[in-house]
Amino acid sequence: MVSLTSVNNVQASLATAQRRVEQGQNQVQRDSEQLAQSRQLLSREKEQLSQAQRSSQQAEASAQPAIKAPQLDQAIKVAVPQQAIAAASKSAPQLNGYGQTLGRLIDVTA
């Protein structure tokens, strides 16, 4: 025999189960909407990243090629030819001679 108490307990259990199912359905709906928003955001961010990569590649392509750094160790190792040293030593007195000639000219005209 079924008692009134057991019927009430079954109804209460059924009502509780229905509330839980509704809560679960609501949670699934919220999660589904959040997932859709996240997918849209991901799509926009992918497009922004793609645009940034394209503009970066264009900037790299249009940039001037890097200037090769001078190799100072090689510049120091280059020897000065002996002829250049001899020519430099001969030209120094010549400059002094020009100065002396100019000095005499000034003395004579003054």
Side-chain angles (χ1 to χ4, degrees):
M1 216 175 177
V2 177
S3 69
L4 186 60
T5 305
S6 64
V7 171
N8 286 340
N9 287 341
V10 169
Q11 288 177 340
S13 295
L14 182 61
T16 302
Q18 285 177 336
R19 279 195 303 273
R20 286 185 184 164
V21 167
E22 288 173 4
Q23 289 172 350
Q25 288 173 341
N26 291 338
Q27 184 65 43
V28 166
Q29 182 65 31
R30 285 191 301 267
D31 290 348
S32 177
E33 291 170 0
Q34 188 176 6
L35 178 61
Q37 290 173 353
S38 296
R39 285 182 175 162
Q40 288 175 348
L41 181 61
L42 177 62
S43 176
R44 282 189 298 242
E45 289 178 351
K46 281 182 179 180
E47 182 59 32
Q48 289 173 350
L49 176 61
S50 177
Q51 288 175 352
Q53 287 174 335
R54 280 193 301 270
S55 52
S56 174
Q57 289 170 350
Q58 288 174 352
E60 286 177 6
S62 65
Q64 296 292 334
I67 297 173
K68 184 178 177 184
Q71 296 178 346
L72 296 178
D73 59 338
Q74 296 297 324
I76 294 170
K77 290 180 184 177
V78 174
V80 177
Q82 290 297 328
Q83 294 171 348
I85 294 172
S89 65
K90 290 180 184 177
S91 66
Q94 191 175 24
L95 181 62
N96 192 23
Y98 289 141
Q100 289 175 357
T101 304
L102 186 61
R104 283 190 207 119
L105 181 63
I106 291 172
D107 278 343
V108 171
T109 57

